[in-house]
Amino acid sequence: MGPGASSRLPSRILAAAALASALVLGACATSAVDDLDGVTATGSPFTQALFRNYSYLARSFGDVGAPSSSAFDSDNSLSFSDSDASVDDLADAFARKALQAAQGANVMPEPAPDAGAQDILARLLHALDLGRDKAPDDAARAQADYDCWVMDGRVHGQEAASAACRASLNGSLAQLEHDVNPPAPMMAPVAADYTVYFDFDSWTLTAEALQVITQAVNNARAGGQSHINLVGHTDTSGSPAYNQSLSLRRANVVKDVMVQMGARAEAITTTGVGESDLAVQTADGVREPKNRRTVITLQP
């Protein structure tokens, strides 16, 4: 066929050829998940742990297809504005982060999508600055939990996975903060009751709360107490029904962390009493910090 011969071909043949070429190119498109096979991570213990965590998240979706390039910002993170991002895009985004970490790069956490997440991100960044070298495994787990929460939250159908990662972040971030700011050695005699305080409308544990829980678990072991009773409370701001649910969440998050520390789940009971048992008596609708609590009682 000589030069210019293609211009004499029927248009339907040219269209078919173009379609076949597009199909071939599409079949060759792959996800960054495929590039994880055989990778050996280098760099610091933190970046190597980050590689393992991101790789696990990338592979947690099973077999995935090629991502949509339109789902990514210039920094390879999922776009906040893209409503068509899929699990293929999500897996690819986690894999890209894993590959960067494998090269020894300190991959930054995702931007916070709202003011509430910004507070969590600020805590995480501060803890990472102090804990990347001191507690690399816990630091990598906390960052991966945060990114899992934020990134899954941007993809339709991944709401439950996002919520699970947020719950995991409760414990992993508190653990990292505990690693970098361990409590002072306990000198006081064993007490029967301990109180964990919460921020307004929150069931997220702070570093101070984790110190109280740690003391309670250690004292339960030292004192031989076989049962732990957890009672969640709220202040009077909000409806009684909402506060009842919030108080139980506060009790359950303390239980989850105590079990992670080695307490037996079957030895712990949790209840929530809402705003019905105030530490400080207030009128309805008052935000009183001392009423937002979970009380830990060690029993024989």
Side-chain angles (χ1 to χ4, degrees), residues 41-52 98 101-107 136:
T42 59
S44 67
F46 170 71
T47 60
Q48 293 180 48
L50 207 55
F51 166 74
R52 293 192 296 272
Q103 296 174 359
N106 280 338
V107 183

Side-chain angles (χ1 to χ4, degrees), residues 101-182:
Q103 296 174 359
N106 280 338
V107 183
M108 294 302 295
E110 291 289 299
D114 53 46
Q118 183 62 52
D119 292 339
I120 300 297
L121 176 58
R123 282 179 56 195
L124 174 64
L125 291 175
H126 178 68
L128 287 173
D129 286 342
L130 299 174
R132 286 189 181 95
D133 296 330
K134 186 175 184 179
D137 288 338
D138 289 340
R141 174 61 185 272
Q143 178 167 330
D145 282 345
Y146 169 83
D147 275 353
C148 179
W149 168 44
V150 173
M151 293 167 67
D152 278 45
R154 300 179 197 155
V155 177
H156 179 69
Q158 291 298 111
E159 293 82 4
S162 176
C165 291
R166 177 66 179 87
S168 181
L169 179 61
N170 266 339
S172 60
L173 179 52
Q175 180 61 54
L176 176 59
E177 290 173 327
H178 175 267
D179 293 337
V180 299
N181 292 300

Side-chain angles (χ1 to χ4, degrees), residues 225-229 255 263-269 297 299:
Q225 287 91 344
S226 59
H227 187 74
I228 301 172
N229 187 42
K255 176 182 178 179
R264 293 182 297 111
E266 60 271 20
I268 303 175
T269 59
T297 301
Q299 299 174 334

Side-chain angles (χ1 to χ4, degrees), residues 56-143:
Y56 172 81
L57 290 171
R59 292 185 170 113
S60 66
F61 302 97
D63 293 333
V64 295
S68 167
S69 60
S70 64
F72 295 94
D73 288 331
S74 58
D75 62 354
N76 289 335
S77 62
L78 280 174
S79 170
F80 285 105
S81 60
D82 194 297
S83 60
D84 296 326
S86 67
V87 293
D88 295 338
D89 301 312
L90 197 53
D92 190 74
F94 283 127
R96 292 185 189 208
K97 285 177 175 283
L99 293 172
Q100 289 176 350
Q103 296 174 359
N106 280 338
V107 183
M108 294 302 295
E110 291 289 299
D114 53 46
Q118 183 62 52
D119 292 339
I120 300 297
L121 176 58
R123 282 179 56 195
L124 174 64
L125 291 175
H126 178 68
L128 287 173
D129 286 342
L130 299 174
R132 286 189 181 95
D133 296 330
K134 186 175 184 179
D137 288 338
D138 289 340
R141 174 61 185 272
Q143 178 167 330

Side-chain angles (χ1 to χ4, degrees), residues 242-262:
Y242 178 81
N243 285 337
Q244 174 62 34
S245 175
L246 177 59
S247 67
L248 186 58
R249 284 181 173 180
R250 287 173 173 169
N252 283 333
V253 74
V254 173
K255 176 182 178 179
D256 291 343
V257 173
M258 295 186 90
V259 171
Q260 291 176 18
M261 291 180 176

